[in-house]
Amino acid sequence: MGGKATRVAFGEALLKVAAKNQRIVVINADLGKSTNTVKFVEKYPDRSFNVGVAEANMIGIGTGLALEGWIPFLCTFATFVTGRFETIRVSLAYVDANVKIVGTHAGIAIGEDGYSQMGLEDIALMRSLPNMTVIQPGDAIEAAGAVEHIAEHHGPVYLRLTRQKVEDVNPPDYQFEFGKGVILDAGKGEGRDLTIMATGGTVYNAREGARQLRSQGLDARAVNVHTIKPIDRELILDSIQRSGRILTVEDHGLSGGLGSAVSEVVAERGEGLVRRIAVRDFGESGDPVELYKKFGLSKENIVAEAKKLVKKD
Amino acid sequence: MPQVAADIQHLKKITQEIRIDIIRMLTEAGSGHPGGSLSATEIVTGLFFHKMRHRPDDPFWADRDRFILSKGHCCPVLYAALAKTGYFPKEELLTLRKLGSRLQGHPYPGRPGERLPGVETATGSLGQGLSIAIGMALAGRLAKKTYRVYALLGDGECQAGQVWEAAMLAPKAGLDHLCVIVDRNKIQNDDFVENTLSLEPFRAKWEAFGWHVIEVNGHDISQVLEALEKAEAVKGKPTVIIADTIKGKGVSFMENNPDWHGKAPNREEGERAIQEILAARL
């Protein structure tokens, strides 16, 4: 994999927004080296806190700081922070605290460390909370745009980031637009046969899959859904109108993620088919590319599932 | 202990009125938690009617001392104190737990534009309040403000792991403007704390974590005020005041009885409780 990890892009963008906005503070839980907040800590020691391996305390401290007007970024692995769900639920989300929860090491693509370190239920958990916004950028430039946006957007946000490098899917002049899905290779496919909606680390494979399908005569379009809550209903319904078929792809568990969010919109409309590619089991250790093959997140499997979906009616 | 200049007799009278309000609110609501409100009455009175810098007519005053009721189920004592100091009309107390009321069954500061003045944040999922108090204390230091932060914890909730995550951090951060008061009433929902999961040696635990510890009789208002003064004088580390209290204090049939942790009195019981509180020698 080439490109840049979105966690790295986050660390760089954080320095930029922190220079402009003196209210931004960072709370680490002993994973600053992994979440890329080390430079922030060096530059702004007074605005940095390391609470140790104590994520529930981190959530409460972040809330207290936010209630007093600071903008805390809580930075640790996706699964460790969202696993303290009940503290997020009552202490943070319920009072609409202006806290940015940054969960890195999302999905099976973290690789060799294995399931205990993989964020695989985090979107489901965060999406279930009123007040909470859920964003997962698909490449480095989008991660930077998302960080700029959430620093200025009041309210709790969950930002989900990759450990692994991800290929660029957006052009260099890309502007992040909150709440709006991004049509990739715009103009090259109308989506008359299907739309593939992907998020985070799977967006590149989804785009490549759509390109292959088009080369084989299917009118497929790929959409990058960076804002998962609130979901882009308009784009989902537009996709259903075009083909009646959406294939979702995500490096997250099957329940409660992007596939669920899309299915809910489609089911409420009462027409259209959704097929979900997601992680259907606990993860395991391995090379990230091999894991994507095993768990069905490869380009090849996206193409195969797309063909099954198109033949289904 | 240093003598605190305060009208103790007046404060005692206030604790009597607050206890009556607690009983009235809970009787009207038909559910709720009397025991831990009655045990914390002197503590809350000492804070809101003497120690804390706050302005009921300017509830979001930036320099106010902060109060976090971590043992959120005991919100009747907080609501009664807030109404009595003038944060909201006293009649509102009787809306406790009713549909549409700002006085939720556990504290909630309200949605933006509908804030309940005096309630800093949401609590009541036990074990979470101290972390929030630490965040507020760190925020005050960052902003170079001089406000103090008080967190009232139950003893039962000190069984929660998050309390000790927070307890480990506050001394490390040197938060001497943070003061925890533990309402050590020795009873939790199901049973006595000692039978459920013992906290002892409780003082030694806090000391081992780096806290300055003061132990007081939590129903002796003079002792409570003196402890709060001493806590402010301690520099370089936070203070915990372990307040030895009686659950259900002031109502004989509720005192030291686990059944009255989470049960509201009926009309007859409520009336009896009020008569007892009124008859008590102050």
Side-chain angles (χ1 to χ4, degrees):
Chain A
M1 293 184 188
K4 187 186 273 185
T6 54
R7 64 178 167 139
V8 172
F10 157 73
E12 293 164 359
L14 182 65
L15 286 175
K16 281 189 193 161
V17 296
K20 282 186 287 185
N21 189 337
Q22 308 297 315
R23 309 299 286 179
I24 290 174
V25 299
V26 162
I27 308 183
N28 283 306
D30 193 36
L31 285 168
K33 289 179 199 163
S34 306
T35 60
N36 286 280
T37 55
V38 172
K39 283 188 180 147
F40 181 98
V41 175
E42 281 170 7
K43 196 159 184 197
Y44 304 106
D46 295 345
R47 285 154 63 187
S48 305
F49 308 95
N50 195 334
V51 301
V53 186
E55 292 81 8
N57 196 34
M58 173 195 233
I59 294 157
I61 290 175
T63 299
L65 282 157
L67 292 174
E68 299 297 341
W70 299 91
I71 307 169
F73 280 65
L74 313 187
C75 306
T76 186
F77 286 13
T79 189
F80 301 154
V81 64
T82 61
R84 276 64 184 173
F85 175 72
E86 206 267 338
T87 309
I88 297 175
R89 171 182 179 268
V90 176
S91 284
L92 195 159
Y94 188 31
V95 299
D96 202 29
N98 191 22
V99 175
K100 316 306 166 185
I101 302 172
V102 181
T104 69
H105 293 61
I108 56 172
I110 72 159
E112 290 78 1
D113 274 342
Y115 175 72
S116 74
Q117 318 295 298
M118 293 170 172
L120 283 171
E121 303 80 17
D122 50 326
I123 297 176
L125 290 163
M126 295 302 99
R127 207 168 68 79
S128 72
L129 291 170
N131 288 343
M132 187 67 73
T133 290
V134 179
I135 297 176
Q136 175 168 230
D139 70 3
I141 191 169
E142 194 165 274
V147 171
E148 279 179 39
H149 173 81
I150 67 174
E152 302 300 324
H153 163 110
H154 184 91
V157 173
Y158 178 57
L159 181 67
R160 187 181 203 247
L161 301 173
T162 64
R163 172 186 183 273
Q164 81 277 19
K165 291 177 179 175
V166 289
E167 300 284 354
D168 291 341
V169 289
N170 292 300
D173 62 348
Y174 174 77
Q175 295 289 319
F176 176 82
E177 198 181 343
F178 174 73
K180 293 283 176 202
V182 181
I183 298 162
L184 303 170
D185 292 335
K188 292 190 180 160
E190 294 296 317
R192 297 293 166 197
D193 286 314
L194 86 159
T195 294
I196 304 173
M197 293 191 151
T199 184
T202 59
V203 172
Y204 176 75
N205 285 357
R207 187 189 72 180
E208 294 305 298
R211 284 179 179 177
Q212 185 173 325
L213 288 163
R214 287 198 297 271
S215 76
Q216 294 172 352
L218 283 177
D219 184 3
R221 69 170 182 177
V223 169
N224 165 23
V225 184
H226 53 65
T227 307
I228 299 172
K229 182 171 182 278
I231 194 81
D232 187 349
R233 294 179 63 87
E234 209 178 312
L235 188 51
I236 292 168
L237 295 176
D238 171 78
S239 301
I240 288 298
Q241 204 170 26
R242 283 161 189 262
S243 67
R245 301 180 197 96
I246 297 175
L247 176 66
T248 64
V249 188
E250 62 193 311
D251 188 354
H252 180 272
L254 182 66
S255 298
L258 174 68
S260 293
V262 170
S263 299
E264 287 160 17
V265 174
V266 174
E268 279 170 359
R269 179 50 62 102
E271 52 199 44
L273 278 177
V274 178
R275 195 172 179 91
R276 295 172 294 161
I277 297 179
V279 180
R280 289 173 184 259
D281 197 352
F282 295 105
E284 64 183 81
S285 292
D287 170 77
V289 174
E290 287 173 19
L291 282 167
Y292 266 29
K293 277 186 193 151
K294 174 163 181 173
F295 284 85
L297 305 181
S298 63
K299 179 187 83 171
E300 291 71 25
N301 191 55
I302 291 169
V303 168
E305 292 290 325
K307 287 178 179 168
K308 285 186 207 163
L309 176 61
V310 172
K311 280 185 200 143
K312 208 159 183 174
D313 49 14
Chain B
M1 280 200 172
Q3 283 300 307
V4 177
D7 185 343
I8 298 298
Q9 203 54 30
H10 174 65
L11 291 174
K12 284 183 180 171
K13 181 84 181 123
I14 289 170
T15 62
Q16 186 182 45
E17 291 166 10
I18 286 180
R19 284 200 164 91
I20 290 169
D21 282 339
I22 291 167
I23 297 297
R24 286 208 172 116
M25 294 168 79
L26 288 166
T27 306
E28 180 64 27
S31 66
H33 303 80
S37 276
L38 294 169
S39 65
T41 300
E42 278 77 14
I43 299 164
V44 170
T45 299
L47 286 166
F48 278 85
F49 294 86
H50 181 80
K51 182 61 191 154
M52 279 174 31
R53 294 178 302 171
H54 65 123
R55 296 175 178 169
D57 57 351
D58 183 13
F60 304 107
W61 176 40
D63 293 322
R64 72 191 182 281
D65 289 339
R66 272 60 167 172
F67 176 76
I68 301 293
L69 182 67
S70 190
K71 44 178 262 165
H73 56 288
C74 303
C75 51
V77 67
L78 173 61
Y79 296 154
L82 291 175
K84 193 160 179 55
T85 48
Y87 282 89
F88 49 79
K90 201 174 163 184
E91 304 79 68
E92 197 170 342
L93 291 178
L94 295 182
T95 69
L96 172 70
R97 290 176 166 253
K98 295 195 190 301
L99 190 63
S101 174
R102 297 192 294 177
L103 307 188
Q104 292 288 295
H106 289 75
Y108 175 55
R111 293 174 188 276
E114 306 168 3
R115 293 290 306 273
L116 175 60
V119 172
E120 297 281 356
T121 195
T123 50
S125 175
L126 294 177
Q128 299 186 10
L130 181 51
S131 301
I132 298 165
I134 289 173
M136 290 180 157
L138 291 169
R141 189 158 70 189
L142 267 179
K144 299 189 166 53
K145 294 207 165 286
T146 58
Y147 64 75
R148 290 179 62 73
V149 183
Y150 294 95
L152 178 56
L153 276 62
D155 53 355
E157 82 168 308
C158 291
Q159 292 160 345
Q162 191 183 334
V163 170
W164 299 101
E165 292 184 3
M168 216 182 305
L169 188 131
K172 161 89 167 41
L175 300 177
D176 52 21
H177 53 309
L178 172 69
C179 178
V180 165
I181 303 108
V182 179
D183 180 5
R184 185 81 166 106
N185 62 32
K186 302 171 284 292
I187 288 176
Q188 57 192 114
N189 188 66
D190 281 0
D191 198 349
F192 290 91
V193 173
E194 199 59 25
N195 294 342
T196 306
L197 180 62
S198 176
L199 296 172
E200 294 299 342
F202 196 48
R203 178 189 182 111
K205 282 189 174 71
W206 288 97
E207 284 174 340
F209 278 68
W211 290 66
H212 181 74
V213 182
I214 302 173
E215 289 179 278
V216 296
N217 174 348
H219 298 308
D220 182 329
I221 192 92
S222 304
Q223 281 193 35
V224 170
L225 298 189
E226 283 162 11
L228 292 168
E229 289 305 323
K230 285 191 92 174
E232 184 157 3
V234 173
K235 295 301 164 200
K237 56 162 105 170
T239 294
V240 56
I241 299 169
I242 301 174
D244 185 31
T245 58
I246 296 166
K247 193 125 175 177
K249 173 72 176 175
V251 180
S252 61
F253 58 90
M254 292 183 179
E255 282 189 5
N256 211 28
N257 182 350
D259 289 348
W260 287 96
H261 165 88
K263 183 176 76 168
N266 61 29
R267 298 267 166 208
E268 183 271 322
E269 290 163 335
E271 199 42 50
R272 235 183 334 136
I274 289 169
Q275 290 313 319
E276 260 194 45
I277 294 164
L278 282 171
R281 195 167 57 84
L282 293 179

